[in-house]
Amino acid sequence: SQHQNDVGVCDLCATRFLPAGGLARHHNSGCGKRTSTIEKEKRKARRSVVRRLEAMDELAIDGNRQRIKDLALVTVVLSAPESTAAAVGIEVEDDGGSLVITAVAGLALGSGLVGEGFVVVSMGGNPASADSIPTELAAGQKATFVFRRPLPHIPFHGSARETIHKEPRFVMPREVE
């Protein structure tokens, strides 16, 4: 038949095979050049300098993103005096799943680190909820809060040229002097 005259040629080692299925058996048993070529490609991919640099860049970018994200976090430890209980002084409002501070008084105001518009992230290492925030601390008791600052106000374009930032210079032409 015509299939007996077909010749199979291995692409890697250029060996010719006459019997049917000989080329398939050759590939199944592992062409010497085939396995070494595949291993070389794998090794080349593992040792690729470009791939390593891309991975290092991704790690650096992720680390920088996390660092920037953490710049907005404020950790505040509020502690009541040893002799009396004290009001924490944080009033919150649930704003779509996040607790936004609406009023600051008491220990929170005294700390100077908490302001209106801050978002309560956690209280005592646990995720914050409206029920978990105490209104008062017993004498000598401490509470740790983590807040996220709101984004700062971005001034209008050209606001640095206002006279409050730069002294105006009055220059008179020579003809007028």
Side-chain angles (χ1 to χ4, degrees):
S1 87
Q2 72 186 52
H3 296 294
Q4 291 176 345
N5 295 330
D6 288 343
V7 176
V9 179
C10 179
D11 295 331
L12 297 172
C13 65
T15 306
R16 295 174 184 261
F17 296 93
L18 287 176
L23 181 61
R25 282 193 306 268
H26 173 70
H27 282 287
N28 288 340
S29 66
C31 172
K33 290 189 177 179
R34 178 184 181 96
T35 55
S36 63
T37 305
I38 292 170
E39 288 175 14
K40 283 180 186 176
E41 290 297 322
K42 286 181 183 176
R43 194 177 319 123
K44 187 177 180 181
R46 276 195 315 265
R47 295 180 179 175
S48 172
V49 174
V50 174
R51 189 169 166 222
R52 287 182 180 187
L53 289 175
E54 287 174 353
M56 288 174 55
D57 286 346
E58 283 297 319
L59 286 173
I61 289 169
D62 289 342
N64 194 32
R65 282 187 190 136
Q66 186 63 37
R67 185 186 62 81
I68 290 171
K69 191 176 177 182
D70 289 344
L71 285 175
L73 293 180
V74 180
T75 302
V76 180
V77 178
L78 301 177
S79 56
E82 293 292 329
S83 58
T84 60
V88 173
I90 297 175
E91 293 181 23
V92 295
E93 179 180 290
D94 193 3
D95 186 30
S98 60
L99 298 175
V100 179
I101 297 177
T102 57
V104 180
L107 293 173
L109 182 63
S111 73
L113 298 172
V114 184
E116 291 182 14
F118 282 36
V119 176
V120 183
V121 177
S122 68
M123 192 278 180
N126 300 321
S129 66
D131 301 333
S132 69
I133 298 175
T135 56
E136 190 174 275
L137 293 179
Q141 187 180 9
K142 292 184 179 185
T144 304
F145 294 90
V146 177
F147 302 104
R148 181 173 302 281
R149 290 188 198 109
L151 293 174
H153 170 71
I154 299 174
F156 296 113
H157 181 72
S159 63
R161 291 189 290 268
E162 294 287 328
T163 56
I164 59 171
H165 298 286
K166 289 186 176 180
E167 276 298 317
R169 285 193 266 151
F170 300 104
V171 179
M172 298 174 66
R174 291 184 185 199
E175 297 86 33
V176 179
E177 290 179 350

